[in-house]
Amino acid sequence: MRVTRRSFFKVCASGLGSSSVAMLGFPTLDVLAEVREFKLTRTSEARNTCPYCAVGCGIIMHSMGDKAKNAKSSIVHIEGDADHPVNRGTLCPKGASLLDFVHSESRLHYPEYRAPGSNAWTRISWDDAFTRIAKLVKADRDQNFIPRTADGLTVNRWLTTGFLAASASSNESGYLTHKMVRSLGMLAFDNQARV
Ligand code: SF4
């Protein structure tokens, strides 16, 4: 029988593995048949969109916890969505590190307000945040909206406030955001994807 260098090492490795297991007192065949539990077996899946850039890759988020009263859900794994037409299951390094983003200690979970002259941020409710934004937007637009130029040309523009949109928005919410921004006359409009 001809023994190549590769087959010689294969035989040595399998022989060493079997003899080591046998020395621990386990029947070799039983040990080889044991399969480690798949780590996502007991997770729930939720589809989402990567929030980082305008490519908009689809992701699947796996979480533990069955939503029972005392069980705290936690996202334990994020991967690319193989059924998504944009990325077909792939993720770039930023998308592949989303789990760290989700569990980051510095992640912002609610709106905060810093009063003029203060160096402290105070937590406020979403209602208070939206109300405050709406009031400021209206006040600035009422004051600075330009319907016509000095030559009488109709322009309907508002240059003193800008809008930064989110890259994880769906097509529909992106369309509505664009409509709202442009109907207000706002020209400064950009996307978080370019930040
Ligand atoms: S950051 Fe990467 S994974 Fe996320 S949407 Fe952009 S390309 Fe896709």
PDB file of all heavy atoms in Angstrom, residues 49-59 86-87 90-96 98 167, ligand 1:
ATOM      1  N   THR A  49     -33.612  46.365   9.135  1.00  0.00           N
ATOM      2  CA  THR A  49     -32.689  46.945   8.154  1.00  0.00           C
ATOM      3  C   THR A  49     -31.478  47.501   8.880  1.00  0.00           C
ATOM      4  O   THR A  49     -31.633  48.159   9.915  1.00  0.00           O
ATOM      5  CB  THR A  49     -33.387  48.093   7.381  1.00  0.00           C
ATOM      6  OG1 THR A  49     -34.621  47.609   6.875  1.00  0.00           O
ATOM      7  CG2 THR A  49     -32.523  48.591   6.243  1.00  0.00           C
ATOM      8  N   CYS A  50     -30.299  47.260   8.361  1.00  0.00           N
ATOM      9  CA  CYS A  50     -29.086  47.794   8.988  1.00  0.00           C
ATOM     10  C   CYS A  50     -29.176  49.328   9.025  1.00  0.00           C
ATOM     11  O   CYS A  50     -29.503  49.949   8.015  1.00  0.00           O
ATOM     12  CB  CYS A  50     -27.858  47.356   8.187  1.00  0.00           C
ATOM     13  SG  CYS A  50     -26.340  48.148   8.786  1.00  0.00           S
ATOM     14  N   PRO A  51     -28.919  49.952  10.171  1.00  0.00           N
ATOM     15  CA  PRO A  51     -29.124  51.392  10.285  1.00  0.00           C
ATOM     16  C   PRO A  51     -27.934  52.234   9.837  1.00  0.00           C
ATOM     17  O   PRO A  51     -27.968  53.448   9.923  1.00  0.00           O
ATOM     18  CB  PRO A  51     -29.341  51.575  11.795  1.00  0.00           C
ATOM     19  CG  PRO A  51     -28.507  50.514  12.407  1.00  0.00           C
ATOM     20  CD  PRO A  51     -28.520  49.355  11.443  1.00  0.00           C
ATOM     21  N   TYR A  52     -26.864  51.619   9.360  1.00  0.00           N
ATOM     22  CA  TYR A  52     -25.644  52.395   9.157  1.00  0.00           C
ATOM     23  C   TYR A  52     -25.592  53.179   7.859  1.00  0.00           C
ATOM     24  O   TYR A  52     -25.159  54.314   7.833  1.00  0.00           O
ATOM     25  CB  TYR A  52     -24.429  51.473   9.228  1.00  0.00           C
ATOM     26  CG  TYR A  52     -23.952  51.228  10.624  1.00  0.00           C
ATOM     27  CD1 TYR A  52     -23.772  49.935  11.093  1.00  0.00           C
ATOM     28  CD2 TYR A  52     -23.662  52.281  11.476  1.00  0.00           C
ATOM     29  CE1 TYR A  52     -23.326  49.698  12.376  1.00  0.00           C
ATOM     30  CE2 TYR A  52     -23.219  52.055  12.759  1.00  0.00           C
ATOM     31  CZ  TYR A  52     -23.047  50.764  13.204  1.00  0.00           C
ATOM     32  OH  TYR A  52     -22.613  50.538  14.471  1.00  0.00           O
ATOM     33  N   CYS A  53     -25.933  52.582   6.733  1.00  0.00           N
ATOM     34  CA  CYS A  53     -25.743  53.348   5.494  1.00  0.00           C
ATOM     35  C   CYS A  53     -26.889  53.124   4.520  1.00  0.00           C
ATOM     36  O   CYS A  53     -27.777  52.306   4.723  1.00  0.00           O
ATOM     37  CB  CYS A  53     -24.394  53.035   4.851  1.00  0.00           C
ATOM     38  SG  CYS A  53     -24.419  51.691   3.675  1.00  0.00           S
ATOM     39  N   ALA A  54     -26.837  53.870   3.424  1.00  0.00           N
ATOM     40  CA  ALA A  54     -27.952  53.899   2.482  1.00  0.00           C
ATOM     41  C   ALA A  54     -28.075  52.639   1.627  1.00  0.00           C
ATOM     42  O   ALA A  54     -29.029  52.513   0.871  1.00  0.00           O
ATOM     43  CB  ALA A  54     -27.808  55.106   1.581  1.00  0.00           C
ATOM     44  N   VAL A  55     -27.138  51.712   1.756  1.00  0.00           N
ATOM     45  CA  VAL A  55     -27.296  50.457   1.017  1.00  0.00           C
ATOM     46  C   VAL A  55     -28.563  49.740   1.512  1.00  0.00           C
ATOM     47  O   VAL A  55     -29.310  49.150   0.750  1.00  0.00           O
ATOM     48  CB  VAL A  55     -26.050  49.561   1.198  1.00  0.00           C
ATOM     49  CG1 VAL A  55     -26.254  48.208   0.553  1.00  0.00           C
ATOM     50  CG2 VAL A  55     -24.838  50.242   0.567  1.00  0.00           C
ATOM     51  N   GLY A  56     -28.825  49.853   2.822  1.00  0.00           N
ATOM     52  CA  GLY A  56     -30.062  49.300   3.375  1.00  0.00           C
ATOM     53  C   GLY A  56     -30.112  47.787   3.391  1.00  0.00           C
ATOM     54  O   GLY A  56     -31.116  47.179   2.985  1.00  0.00           O
ATOM     55  N   CYS A  57     -29.044  47.153   3.863  1.00  0.00           N
ATOM     56  CA  CYS A  57     -29.005  45.685   3.888  1.00  0.00           C
ATOM     57  C   CYS A  57     -30.026  45.121   4.878  1.00  0.00           C
ATOM     58  O   CYS A  57     -30.246  45.682   5.948  1.00  0.00           O
ATOM     59  CB  CYS A  57     -27.609  45.218   4.301  1.00  0.00           C
ATOM     60  SG  CYS A  57     -26.351  45.655   3.104  1.00  0.00           S
ATOM     61  N   GLY A  58     -30.617  44.009   4.503  1.00  0.00           N
ATOM     62  CA  GLY A  58     -31.575  43.339   5.374  1.00  0.00           C
ATOM     63  C   GLY A  58     -30.852  42.497   6.416  1.00  0.00           C
ATOM     64  O   GLY A  58     -29.843  41.858   6.115  1.00  0.00           O
ATOM     65  N   ILE A  59     -31.344  42.510   7.648  1.00  0.00           N
ATOM     66  CA  ILE A  59     -30.723  41.715   8.713  1.00  0.00           C
ATOM     67  C   ILE A  59     -31.791  40.883   9.418  1.00  0.00           C
ATOM     68  O   ILE A  59     -32.982  41.197   9.356  1.00  0.00           O
ATOM     69  CB  ILE A  59     -29.998  42.595   9.759  1.00  0.00           C
ATOM     70  CG1 ILE A  59     -30.966  43.619  10.365  1.00  0.00           C
ATOM     71  CG2 ILE A  59     -28.812  43.306   9.136  1.00  0.00           C
ATOM     72  CD1 ILE A  59     -30.357  44.415  11.514  1.00  0.00           C
ATOM     73  N   VAL A  86     -31.327  43.114  -1.489  1.00  0.00           N
ATOM     74  CA  VAL A  86     -30.176  44.026  -1.543  1.00  0.00           C
ATOM     75  C   VAL A  86     -28.863  43.301  -1.241  1.00  0.00           C
ATOM     76  O   VAL A  86     -27.887  43.396  -1.983  1.00  0.00           O
ATOM     77  CB  VAL A  86     -30.369  45.199  -0.563  1.00  0.00           C
ATOM     78  CG1 VAL A  86     -29.079  46.008  -0.405  1.00  0.00           C
ATOM     79  CG2 VAL A  86     -31.485  46.114  -1.054  1.00  0.00           C
ATOM     80  N   ASN A  87     -28.816  42.570  -0.155  1.00  0.00           N
ATOM     81  CA  ASN A  87     -27.519  42.015   0.276  1.00  0.00           C
ATOM     82  C   ASN A  87     -27.440  40.490   0.226  1.00  0.00           C
ATOM     83  O   ASN A  87     -26.355  39.926   0.364  1.00  0.00           O
ATOM     84  CB  ASN A  87     -27.184  42.486   1.695  1.00  0.00           C
ATOM     85  CG  ASN A  87     -28.256  42.169   2.705  1.00  0.00           C
ATOM     86  OD1 ASN A  87     -29.444  42.338   2.443  1.00  0.00           O
ATOM     87  ND2 ASN A  87     -27.851  41.720   3.870  1.00  0.00           N
ATOM     88  N   THR A  90     -25.353  38.915   2.935  1.00  0.00           N
ATOM     89  CA  THR A  90     -24.012  39.425   3.262  1.00  0.00           C
ATOM     90  C   THR A  90     -24.121  40.697   4.098  1.00  0.00           C
ATOM     91  O   THR A  90     -25.132  41.383   4.065  1.00  0.00           O
ATOM     92  CB  THR A  90     -23.223  39.761   1.987  1.00  0.00           C
ATOM     93  OG1 THR A  90     -23.942  40.769   1.274  1.00  0.00           O
ATOM     94  CG2 THR A  90     -23.046  38.540   1.110  1.00  0.00           C
ATOM     95  N   LEU A  91     -23.059  40.994   4.844  1.00  0.00           N
ATOM     96  CA  LEU A  91     -22.977  42.248   5.593  1.00  0.00           C
ATOM     97  C   LEU A  91     -21.536  42.751   5.519  1.00  0.00           C
ATOM     98  O   LEU A  91     -20.603  41.946   5.542  1.00  0.00           O
ATOM     99  CB  LEU A  91     -23.355  42.045   7.071  1.00  0.00           C
ATOM    100  CG  LEU A  91     -24.807  41.699   7.399  1.00  0.00           C
ATOM    101  CD1 LEU A  91     -24.950  41.417   8.887  1.00  0.00           C
ATOM    102  CD2 LEU A  91     -25.745  42.822   6.986  1.00  0.00           C
ATOM    103  N   CYS A  92     -21.367  44.061   5.456  1.00  0.00           N
ATOM    104  CA  CYS A  92     -20.013  44.624   5.502  1.00  0.00           C
ATOM    105  C   CYS A  92     -19.552  44.620   6.970  1.00  0.00           C
ATOM    106  O   CYS A  92     -20.329  44.306   7.862  1.00  0.00           O
ATOM    107  CB  CYS A  92     -20.015  46.032   4.900  1.00  0.00           C
ATOM    108  SG  CYS A  92     -20.583  47.297   6.044  1.00  0.00           S
ATOM    109  N   PRO A  93     -18.293  44.983   7.265  1.00  0.00           N
ATOM    110  CA  PRO A  93     -17.821  44.936   8.652  1.00  0.00           C
ATOM    111  C   PRO A  93     -18.669  45.768   9.618  1.00  0.00           C
ATOM    112  O   PRO A  93     -18.863  45.378  10.768  1.00  0.00           O
ATOM    113  CB  PRO A  93     -16.390  45.483   8.560  1.00  0.00           C
ATOM    114  CG  PRO A  93     -15.961  45.138   7.174  1.00  0.00           C
ATOM    115  CD  PRO A  93     -17.189  45.262   6.320  1.00  0.00           C
ATOM    116  N   LYS A  94     -19.207  46.903   9.139  1.00  0.00           N
ATOM    117  CA  LYS A  94     -20.047  47.711  10.041  1.00  0.00           C
ATOM    118  C   LYS A  94     -21.320  46.941  10.387  1.00  0.00           C
ATOM    119  O   LYS A  94     -21.728  46.867  11.538  1.00  0.00           O
ATOM    120  CB  LYS A  94     -20.413  49.042   9.377  1.00  0.00           C
ATOM    121  CG  LYS A  94     -19.310  50.058   9.451  1.00  0.00           C
ATOM    122  CD  LYS A  94     -19.828  51.468   9.229  1.00  0.00           C
ATOM    123  CE  LYS A  94     -20.351  51.640   7.818  1.00  0.00           C
ATOM    124  NZ  LYS A  94     -20.819  53.015   7.577  1.00  0.00           N
ATOM    125  N   GLY A  95     -21.958  46.382   9.360  1.00  0.00           N
ATOM    126  CA  GLY A  95     -23.183  45.621   9.609  1.00  0.00           C
ATOM    127  C   GLY A  95     -22.916  44.377  10.436  1.00  0.00           C
ATOM    128  O   GLY A  95     -23.722  43.990  11.278  1.00  0.00           O
ATOM    129  N   ALA A  96     -21.754  43.763  10.216  1.00  0.00           N
ATOM    130  CA  ALA A  96     -21.425  42.537  10.948  1.00  0.00           C
ATOM    131  C   ALA A  96     -21.162  42.803  12.426  1.00  0.00           C
ATOM    132  O   ALA A  96     -21.159  41.878  13.234  1.00  0.00           O
ATOM    133  CB  ALA A  96     -20.208  41.870  10.305  1.00  0.00           C
ATOM    134  N   LEU A  98     -23.072  44.823  14.283  1.00  0.00           N
ATOM    135  CA  LEU A  98     -24.281  45.456  14.823  1.00  0.00           C
ATOM    136  C   LEU A  98     -24.611  45.034  16.258  1.00  0.00           C
ATOM    137  O   LEU A  98     -25.194  45.791  17.012  1.00  0.00           O
ATOM    138  CB  LEU A  98     -25.476  45.128  13.924  1.00  0.00           C
ATOM    139  CG  LEU A  98     -25.674  46.049  12.725  1.00  0.00           C
ATOM    140  CD1 LEU A  98     -26.800  45.542  11.856  1.00  0.00           C
ATOM    141  CD2 LEU A  98     -25.966  47.465  13.190  1.00  0.00           C
ATOM    142  N   SER A 167     -30.954  56.544   7.405  1.00  0.00           N
ATOM    143  CA  SER A 167     -30.726  55.646   6.275  1.00  0.00           C
ATOM    144  C   SER A 167     -31.472  54.330   6.420  1.00  0.00           C
ATOM    145  O   SER A 167     -31.618  53.594   5.448  1.00  0.00           O
ATOM    146  CB  SER A 167     -29.240  55.368   6.128  1.00  0.00           C
ATOM    147  OG  SER A 167     -28.745  54.780   7.294  1.00  0.00           O
TER     148      SER A 167
HETATM  149  S1  SF4 B   1     -23.331  49.540   6.711  1.00  0.00           S
HETATM  150 FE1  SF4 B   1     -22.771  47.686   5.567  1.00  0.00          FE
HETATM  151  S2  SF4 B   1     -24.242  46.131   6.222  1.00  0.00           S
HETATM  152 FE2  SF4 B   1     -25.080  48.135   6.825  1.00  0.00          FE
HETATM  153  S3  SF4 B   1     -26.401  48.784   5.109  1.00  0.00           S
HETATM  154 FE3  SF4 B   1     -24.357  49.637   4.726  1.00  0.00          FE
HETATM  155  S4  SF4 B   1     -23.316  48.103   3.422  1.00  0.00           S
HETATM  156 FE4  SF4 B   1     -25.089  47.090   4.377  1.00  0.00          FE
END
